[in-house]
Each structure stands twice: as structure tokens, then as C-alpha cells.
Amino acid sequence: MIKLLLINILLFCSCAQAETLGTLFYSPAERAALVAARSGIAQTAIYTLNGITLRGAGKSVAWINGRAVTQVPPDPVIPTLVIHPDHVLIEGKVIKVGESLDINSGQRTLRLPEKAVRVKP
């Protein structure tokens, strides 16, 4: 009788704790968002060009949203990327180093004001 009572109490406690855990399984869309967040893939249409690495004999790399992206092979997130020495084109729109661009609205944001950095000869 006491064993049965203890088993019932343990089952009741485990059920009460399980409700506080919340959902342990995610929808396909939620899983895709988690995978994208872990890999650093942007889920927005705002792109920030952090830098460009040009290679004479190899692939050039653009650092977009803190992630290395190449033109060849095409990146799955930014397939329209074209890398130039001083800017990149995404969907035909120019983005310069240090600049953020919202592709949908066209709004640009500079991280640094003009002439904030001087290069001495």
C-alpha cells in the first residue's frame, strides 16, 4: 500500500515538472531558424559589409554580417553577390565597407561618419 502511494506521488511530481518544461519539439520553421542562427546565416534583409579580402589567384571573400561569403561557388543565402575591390553588389545594390543596407526599404546606415578614419602616408 505504501509502495503504491509512493509511486503515485512520484508520478504526480514528474507530471507537474513536465508542464514547466514547455515544448521540447519544434516546428520545421522553428528548427530551420535555429539551424540558421547557429550557422550565422542572417534571417533579415539587412546586410552589413564588414570587409573584403581580395586574392589574386584565388577566390575573393566578402565579410557580410560577420560571416565569410564567396561569389564562386554562390552562397545559398546571398546567391546574387558580386564582389568588387571597394564594394559588393547584392541584388544589384551597392554596399560599401562599413555600411549596412536594408534591401527591402533601401535604407543605408554608416557605422562610422564620413572622414572619421584617416590614413597617414
Side-chain angles (χ1 to χ4, degrees):
M1 181 76 161
I2 294 176
K3 288 182 184 179
L4 185 59
L5 180 62
L6 286 174
I7 291 173
N8 285 334
I9 290 173
L10 288 175
L11 288 175
F12 176 75
C13 289
S14 66
C15 290
Q17 288 177 352
E19 290 175 13
T20 61
L21 289 177
T23 304
L24 295 177
F25 301 101
Y26 298 99
S27 69
E30 290 171 325
R31 285 193 301 271
L34 287 171
V35 168
R38 288 182 189 135
S39 65
I41 298 172
Q43 293 294 311
T44 65
I46 299 173
Y47 297 103
T48 301
L49 181 59
N50 303 108
I52 299 172
T53 303
L54 296 175
R55 297 188 177 121
K59 300 175 193 170
S60 295
V61 177
W63 295 89
I64 299 175
N65 296 345
R67 190 172 70 88
V69 181
T70 59
Q71 183 175 334
V72 178
D75 187 82
V77 178
I78 312 173
T80 62
L81 177 72
V82 178
I83 300 173
H84 292 280
D86 62 342
H87 67 278
V88 298
L89 294 173
I90 298 177
E91 295 183 16
K93 298 180 181 176
V94 175
I95 304 175
K96 294 185 177 184
V97 176
E99 187 176 50
S100 294
L101 174 68
D102 185 341
I103 295 293
N104 296 331
S105 69
Q107 181 180 5
R108 294 177 184 276
T109 307
L110 287 175
R111 292 189 306 162
L112 295 173
E114 289 291 327
K115 299 183 182 178
V117 178
R118 293 184 322 180
V119 178
K120 294 183 179 181

